[in-house]
Amino acid sequence: MLARGTAAVWRLYPFTLILKQAVPEAETTPLRLKIDPGSKTTGLALVADVDADAGQVVWAGEVTHRGQAVHERMQIRAGIRRSRRQRNTRYRPRRFDNRRRTDDWLAPSLESRIANVETWVRRLSRLAPVAAISQELVRFDTQALVNPEVSGVEYQQGTLAGYEVREYLLEKWQRRCAYCQASGIALQVEHIVPRARGGSDRVRNLTLACETCNQRKGSRTAEEFGYPQVQAQAGQPLRDAAAVNTTRWALYRRLQQTGLPVEVGTGGRTKWNRTQRGLPKTHWLDAACVGASTPERLVVKGIHPRHIRAMGRHARQMCRMDTYGFPRTGAKATSVVGGLRTGDLVRAVVPAPSVKAGVYVGRLAVRATGSCNIATARQGVVQGIHVRHCRVLHRTDGYRYGDGDTSEGGGASSPALKGGGSAPDI
Ligand SMILES: [Zn+2]
């Protein structure tokens, strides 16, 4: 369509085309936006229903959050404020008993994760006909387990209930071998009182063990094996607080405010769906497998997830400081020069007589003089490119983009940046 001139690039990230002529009564397939929220990375997938039992992933993305960066920034700010209070250069009343927090307050690092997901739900909804949302809310379904501490459920390997039980056990035993406390290794579901000795398949008789411990224990009970506390711990209920993830619930409430129907799924269901469909474990495939609405057959061929990294936008600090907290630089100059802003992805064409003659694609860092820097992928940072040579490819929006083979600013070789035909995101 780009080659024929019937469409133009509307946005580079996510890659979107706009048709040059209106299509009367155009029919669009409603899409389901599926989300697998994680503490470091959140998987996103747009899924279209092809027919009754098949669905196709249309677009996928993985958003890397900046929780740790936010935390570090907050630490630095706290340090600066503390030193300023001690310095006694002016009167500043102490301030610790006049703070109010709303009930839904979350730590800034957590809030930023939720904001990242909200942003992408909003952006994708604006560009694609998103009709419903699916979100992974909890690790396992307590309702499906029907109060496992009391009644228990039969554990069956390979069934959905089996996956829910497994997720429950992982949470309860903190992803460790109950006997040697080893973590980060493959764990097996293990009967505390072996079945051969009359032990049941109920959750309260199950724990997690590494292969070695499982073998060594053999047909002994946990008590005979020398671990009576495992028996005792299995009978204790899993504290609710341990299983409830505040951030995920907060995200769920925000998603409900979009007005779209929000379906929730469990981690056990996601894993089961993914295993049933023979898909490898990645954030975006996990997202595509969230919830009971996941179609029987999921077409994922040809989809490369867009890697999206949250970067933040501005620093509120007025000027840089030295080690002692005193101003080191002047106040910040303007952040907009010639209509361009630091962080904009630009393509600069510098004409021949100049020593800098050539084409540069990359992120811009504006200077008040108009002579700016461009961080390119190939030549590194190129200095002294005037803004009048620059054309914006993508305005700074708080995120950096990349994928497997072509990352952003990959020079003129990237077809999307040249305006040629590239695999479209949407
Ligand atoms: Zn072990």
Side-chain angles (χ1 to χ4, degrees), residues 174-226:
Q174 283 132 43
R175 294 172 187 270
R176 288 170 182 279
C177 170
Y179 303 106
C180 69
Q181 299 295 314
S183 62
I185 50 164
L187 295 170
Q188 301 171 343
V189 175
E190 201 262 342
H191 291 78
I192 294 169
V193 177
R195 264 192 301 194
R197 305 270 302 275
S200 76
D201 268 342
R202 293 184 159 199
V203 180
R204 59 182 313 164
N205 189 38
L206 297 174
T207 183
L208 291 171
C210 67
E211 169 117 47
T212 326
C213 291
N214 204 351
Q215 294 289 327
R216 273 179 46 223
K217 182 168 170 280
S219 60
R220 287 179 284 179
T221 66
E223 197 159 1
E224 291 165 358
F225 188 43

Coordinates of all heavy atoms in Angstrom, one line a residue, residues 174-226:
Q174 N 6.8 -21.2 48.5 CA 7.8 -20.1 48.1 C 8.8 -20.6 47.0 O 10.0 -20.2 47.0 CB 8.6 -19.6 49.3 CG 7.7 -18.6 50.1 CD 7.8 -18.9 51.6 OE1 8.9 -19.2 52.1 NE2 6.7 -18.8 52.2
R175 N 8.3 -21.4 46.1 CA 9.1 -21.9 45.0 C 10.4 -22.6 45.4 O 11.4 -22.4 44.8 CB 9.4 -20.7 44.0 CG 8.1 -20.2 43.4 CD 8.2 -19.0 42.6 NE 6.9 -18.6 42.2 CZ 6.2 -19.0 41.1 NH1 6.9 -19.8 40.2 NH2 5.0 -18.7 40.8
R176 N 10.3 -23.3 46.6 CA 11.5 -24.0 47.1 C 11.2 -25.4 47.3 O 10.0 -25.8 47.5 CB 12.0 -23.4 48.4 CG 12.6 -22.0 48.3 CD 12.7 -21.4 49.7 NE 13.3 -20.1 49.6 CZ 14.6 -19.8 49.5 NH1 15.4 -20.8 49.4 NH2 15.0 -18.6 49.4
C177 N 12.2 -26.3 47.3 CA 12.1 -27.6 47.8 C 11.8 -27.6 49.3 O 12.5 -27.0 50.0 CB 13.4 -28.4 47.5 SG 13.4 -30.0 48.2
A178 N 10.7 -28.3 49.7 CA 10.3 -28.3 51.1 C 11.3 -28.9 52.0 O 11.3 -28.6 53.2 CB 8.9 -29.0 51.2
Y179 N 12.2 -29.7 51.4 CA 13.2 -30.5 52.3 C 14.5 -29.8 52.3 O 15.0 -29.5 53.4 CB 13.3 -31.9 51.8 CG 11.9 -32.6 51.8 CD1 11.2 -32.8 50.6 CD2 11.3 -32.9 53.0 CE1 9.9 -33.4 50.6 CE2 10.0 -33.5 53.0 CZ 9.4 -33.8 51.9 OH 8.1 -34.3 51.9
C180 N 15.1 -29.6 51.1 CA 16.5 -29.0 51.1 C 16.5 -27.5 50.9 O 17.5 -26.9 50.9 CB 17.4 -29.7 50.1 SG 16.9 -29.4 48.4
Q181 N 15.3 -26.9 50.7 CA 15.1 -25.4 50.5 C 15.8 -24.9 49.2 O 16.0 -23.7 49.1 CB 15.7 -24.7 51.7 CG 15.0 -25.0 53.0 CD 13.5 -24.5 53.0 OE1 13.2 -23.4 52.6 NE2 12.7 -25.4 53.5
A182 N 16.1 -25.8 48.3 CA 16.7 -25.4 47.1 C 15.7 -24.6 46.2 O 14.5 -25.0 46.2 CB 17.2 -26.6 46.3
S183 N 16.2 -23.5 45.6 CA 15.3 -22.8 44.7 C 15.9 -22.6 43.3 O 17.1 -22.9 43.2 CB 15.0 -21.4 45.3 OG 16.2 -20.7 45.4
G184 N 15.1 -22.2 42.4 CA 15.6 -22.0 41.0 C 15.9 -23.3 40.3 O 16.6 -23.3 39.3
I185 N 15.4 -24.4 40.7 CA 15.5 -25.6 40.0 C 14.1 -26.2 39.8 O 13.1 -25.7 40.3 CB 16.4 -26.7 40.8 CG1 15.8 -26.8 42.3 CG2 17.8 -26.3 40.8 CD1 16.3 -28.0 43.0
A186 N 14.1 -27.3 38.9 CA 12.8 -27.9 38.6 C 12.2 -28.6 39.9 O 13.0 -29.3 40.6 CB 13.0 -28.9 37.5
L187 N 11.0 -28.3 40.2 CA 10.4 -28.9 41.4 C 9.3 -29.8 41.0 O 8.6 -29.6 40.0 CB 9.8 -27.8 42.3 CG 10.9 -26.8 42.9 CD1 10.2 -25.6 43.6 CD2 11.8 -27.5 43.9
Q188 N 9.1 -30.9 41.8 CA 8.1 -31.9 41.5 C 7.1 -31.8 42.6 O 7.4 -31.6 43.7 CB 8.7 -33.3 41.4 CG 9.8 -33.4 40.4 CD 10.6 -34.7 40.5 OE1 10.5 -35.4 41.5 NE2 11.3 -35.1 39.4
V189 N 5.8 -32.1 42.2 CA 4.7 -32.2 43.2 C 4.9 -33.5 43.9 O 5.1 -34.6 43.3 CB 3.4 -32.1 42.5 CG1 2.3 -32.3 43.6 CG2 3.2 -30.7 41.9
E190 N 4.9 -33.5 45.2 CA 5.3 -34.6 46.0 C 4.3 -34.9 47.1 O 3.7 -34.0 47.7 CB 6.7 -34.4 46.6 CG 7.5 -35.5 47.0 CD 7.4 -35.8 48.5 OE1 7.0 -34.9 49.3 OE2 7.7 -37.0 48.9
H191 N 4.0 -36.2 47.3 CA 3.0 -36.5 48.4 C 3.7 -36.6 49.7 O 4.7 -37.4 49.8 CB 2.4 -37.9 48.0 CG 1.4 -37.8 46.8 ND1 1.9 -37.8 45.5 CD2 0.1 -37.7 46.8 CE1 0.9 -37.7 44.7 NE2 -0.2 -37.6 45.4
I192 N 3.2 -35.9 50.7 CA 3.8 -35.9 52.0 C 3.7 -37.3 52.6 O 4.7 -37.9 53.1 CB 3.2 -34.9 52.9 CG1 3.5 -33.5 52.4 CG2 3.7 -35.0 54.4 CD1 2.8 -32.3 53.0
V193 N 2.5 -37.9 52.6 CA 2.3 -39.3 53.0 C 2.1 -40.0 51.6 O 1.2 -39.6 50.9 CB 1.1 -39.5 53.9 CG1 0.8 -41.0 54.1 CG2 1.2 -38.8 55.2
P194 N 3.0 -40.9 51.2 CA 2.9 -41.4 49.9 C 1.6 -42.1 49.6 O 1.0 -42.6 50.6 CB 4.1 -42.5 49.9 CG 5.0 -42.0 51.0 CD 4.1 -41.4 52.0
R195 N 1.2 -42.1 48.4 CA -0.1 -42.7 48.0 C -0.1 -44.2 48.3 O -1.1 -44.8 48.8 CB -0.4 -42.5 46.5 CG -1.2 -41.3 46.3 CD -1.8 -41.3 44.9 NE -0.7 -41.2 44.0 CZ -0.8 -40.9 42.7 NH1 -2.0 -40.6 42.3 NH2 0.2 -40.9 41.9
A196 N 1.1 -44.9 48.2 CA 1.1 -46.3 48.5 C 0.9 -46.6 50.0 O 0.5 -47.7 50.4 CB 2.5 -46.8 48.1
R197 N 1.1 -45.5 50.8 CA 0.8 -45.7 52.2 C -0.5 -45.1 52.7 O -0.7 -44.8 53.8 CB 2.0 -45.0 53.0 CG 3.4 -45.4 52.6 CD 3.8 -46.6 53.5 NE 3.8 -46.3 54.9 CZ 4.8 -45.7 55.6 NH1 5.9 -45.3 54.9 NH2 4.7 -45.4 56.8
G198 N -1.4 -44.8 51.7 CA -2.7 -44.4 52.0 C -2.9 -42.8 52.0 O -3.9 -42.3 52.4
G199 N -1.8 -42.1 51.5 CA -1.9 -40.7 51.4 C -2.8 -40.3 50.3 O -2.9 -41.0 49.3
S200 N -3.5 -39.1 50.4 CA -4.5 -38.7 49.4 C -3.8 -37.8 48.4 O -2.7 -37.4 48.5 CB -5.7 -38.0 50.1 OG -5.3 -36.7 50.4
D201 N -4.6 -37.5 47.3 CA -4.2 -36.5 46.3 C -4.6 -35.1 46.7 O -4.5 -34.2 45.9 CB -4.8 -36.9 45.0 CG -3.9 -37.8 44.2 OD1 -2.7 -37.8 44.5 OD2 -4.4 -38.5 43.3
R202 N -5.1 -34.9 47.9 CA -5.6 -33.6 48.3 C -4.4 -32.7 48.5 O -3.3 -33.1 48.8 CB -6.4 -33.7 49.6 CG -7.7 -34.5 49.3 CD -8.6 -34.5 50.5 NE -9.9 -34.8 50.1 CZ -11.0 -34.6 50.8 NH1 -10.9 -34.1 52.0 NH2 -12.2 -34.9 50.4
V203 N -4.7 -31.4 48.4 CA -3.7 -30.3 48.4 C -2.9 -30.4 49.7 O -1.7 -30.2 49.7 CB -4.3 -28.9 48.2 CG1 -3.2 -27.9 48.2 CG2 -5.0 -28.9 46.8
R204 N -3.6 -30.7 50.8 CA -2.9 -30.6 52.1 C -2.0 -31.8 52.3 O -1.2 -31.8 53.2 CB -3.9 -30.6 53.3 CG -4.9 -31.8 53.3 CD -5.9 -31.6 54.4 NE -5.2 -31.2 55.6 CZ -5.8 -30.7 56.7 NH1 -7.1 -30.5 56.7 NH2 -5.1 -30.4 57.8
N205 N -2.0 -32.7 51.4 CA -1.0 -33.8 51.4 C 0.1 -33.6 50.4 O 0.9 -34.5 50.1 CB -1.7 -35.2 51.2 CG -0.8 -36.4 51.5 OD1 0.1 -36.3 52.4 ND2 -0.8 -37.4 50.6
L206 N 0.1 -32.4 49.7 CA 1.1 -32.2 48.6 C 2.1 -31.1 49.0 O 1.8 -30.2 49.7 CB 0.3 -31.8 47.3 CG -0.6 -32.8 46.7 CD1 -1.4 -32.2 45.6 CD2 0.1 -34.1 46.3
T207 N 3.3 -31.3 48.5 CA 4.3 -30.3 48.7 C 5.2 -30.3 47.5 O 4.9 -31.0 46.5 CB 5.1 -30.5 50.0 OG1 6.0 -29.5 50.1 CG2 5.9 -31.9 49.9
L208 N 6.2 -29.5 47.5 CA 7.1 -29.5 46.3 C 8.5 -30.0 46.8 O 9.0 -29.7 47.8 CB 7.3 -28.0 45.8 CG 6.0 -27.4 45.1 CD1 6.2 -26.0 44.9 CD2 5.7 -28.2 43.8
A209 N 9.1 -30.8 45.9 CA 10.4 -31.3 46.2 C 11.3 -31.4 45.0 O 10.8 -31.5 43.9 CB 10.3 -32.7 46.8
C210 N 12.6 -31.2 45.2 CA 13.5 -31.4 44.0 C 13.6 -32.9 43.7 O 13.3 -33.7 44.6 CB 14.8 -30.8 44.3 SG 15.8 -31.6 45.6
E211 N 14.1 -33.2 42.6 CA 14.2 -34.6 42.1 C 15.0 -35.4 43.2 O 14.6 -36.5 43.6 CB 14.9 -34.6 40.8 CG 15.4 -36.0 40.3 CD 14.7 -36.4 39.0 OE1 14.6 -35.6 38.1 OE2 14.2 -37.5 39.0
T212 N 16.1 -34.9 43.6 CA 17.0 -35.7 44.6 C 16.3 -36.0 45.8 O 16.3 -37.2 46.3 CB 18.2 -34.8 44.9 OG1 18.6 -34.1 43.8 CG2 19.4 -35.7 45.4
C213 N 15.6 -35.0 46.5 CA 14.9 -35.2 47.7 C 13.8 -36.2 47.5 O 13.5 -37.0 48.3 CB 14.4 -33.9 48.3 SG 15.7 -32.8 48.9
N214 N 13.0 -36.0 46.4 CA 11.9 -36.9 46.1 C 12.4 -38.3 46.0 O 11.7 -39.2 46.5 CB 11.3 -36.4 44.7 CG 9.8 -36.9 44.6 OD1 9.3 -37.6 45.5 ND2 9.2 -36.4 43.6
Q215 N 13.5 -38.6 45.3 CA 14.1 -39.9 45.2 C 14.5 -40.5 46.6 O 14.2 -41.6 46.9 CB 15.3 -39.9 44.3 CG 15.0 -39.6 42.8 CD 14.2 -40.7 42.1 OE1 14.4 -41.8 42.4 NE2 13.3 -40.3 41.2
R216 N 15.2 -39.6 47.3 CA 15.7 -40.1 48.6 C 14.6 -40.4 49.6 O 14.7 -41.3 50.4 CB 16.7 -39.0 49.2 CG 18.1 -39.2 48.7 CD 19.0 -38.1 49.2 NE 18.9 -37.8 50.6 CZ 18.8 -36.6 51.2 NH1 18.9 -35.6 50.5 NH2 18.7 -36.5 52.5
K217 N 13.5 -39.6 49.5 CA 12.4 -39.8 50.4 C 11.8 -41.2 50.2 O 11.4 -41.9 51.1 CB 11.4 -38.7 50.3 CG 10.3 -38.8 51.2 CD 9.5 -37.4 51.2 CE 8.2 -37.5 52.0 NZ 7.1 -38.2 51.2
G218 N 11.6 -41.5 48.9 CA 11.1 -42.8 48.5 C 9.7 -43.0 49.0 O 8.8 -42.1 48.9
S219 N 9.4 -44.1 49.7 CA 8.1 -44.4 50.2 C 7.9 -44.0 51.7 O 7.0 -44.5 52.3 CB 7.8 -45.9 50.0 OG 8.7 -46.6 50.7
R220 N 8.8 -43.2 52.2 CA 8.7 -42.7 53.6 C 7.7 -41.5 53.6 O 7.6 -40.8 52.7 CB 10.0 -42.4 54.2 CG 10.9 -43.6 54.5 CD 12.2 -43.2 55.0 NE 13.1 -42.6 54.0 CZ 14.4 -42.2 54.2 NH1 14.8 -42.1 55.4 NH2 15.1 -41.7 53.2
T221 N 7.1 -41.3 54.8 CA 6.4 -40.1 55.0 C 7.4 -39.0 55.3 O 8.6 -39.2 55.7 CB 5.4 -40.2 56.1 OG1 6.1 -40.3 57.4 CG2 4.5 -41.4 56.0
A222 N 6.9 -37.7 55.3 CA 7.8 -36.6 55.6 C 8.4 -36.7 57.0 O 9.5 -36.4 57.2 CB 7.0 -35.3 55.4
E223 N 7.6 -37.2 57.9 CA 8.0 -37.3 59.3 C 9.1 -38.4 59.4 O 10.1 -38.2 60.1 CB 6.8 -37.7 60.2 CG 7.1 -37.5 61.7 CD 5.8 -37.4 62.5 OE1 4.7 -37.5 61.9 OE2 5.9 -37.2 63.7
E224 N 8.9 -39.5 58.8 CA 9.9 -40.6 58.8 C 11.2 -40.1 58.1 O 12.3 -40.6 58.4 CB 9.4 -41.8 58.1 CG 8.3 -42.5 58.9 CD 7.5 -43.5 58.0 OE1 7.8 -43.7 56.8 OE2 6.6 -44.1 58.6
F225 N 11.0 -39.2 57.1 CA 12.2 -38.7 56.3 C 13.0 -37.7 57.2 O 14.1 -37.3 56.8 CB 11.6 -38.1 55.0 CG 12.7 -37.7 54.1 CD1 13.8 -38.5 53.7 CD2 12.6 -36.4 53.4 CE1 14.7 -38.1 52.8 CE2 13.5 -36.1 52.5 CZ 14.6 -36.9 52.2
G226 N 12.4 -37.3 58.3 CA 13.1 -36.4 59.2 C 12.6 -35.0 59.1 O 13.4 -34.0 59.5

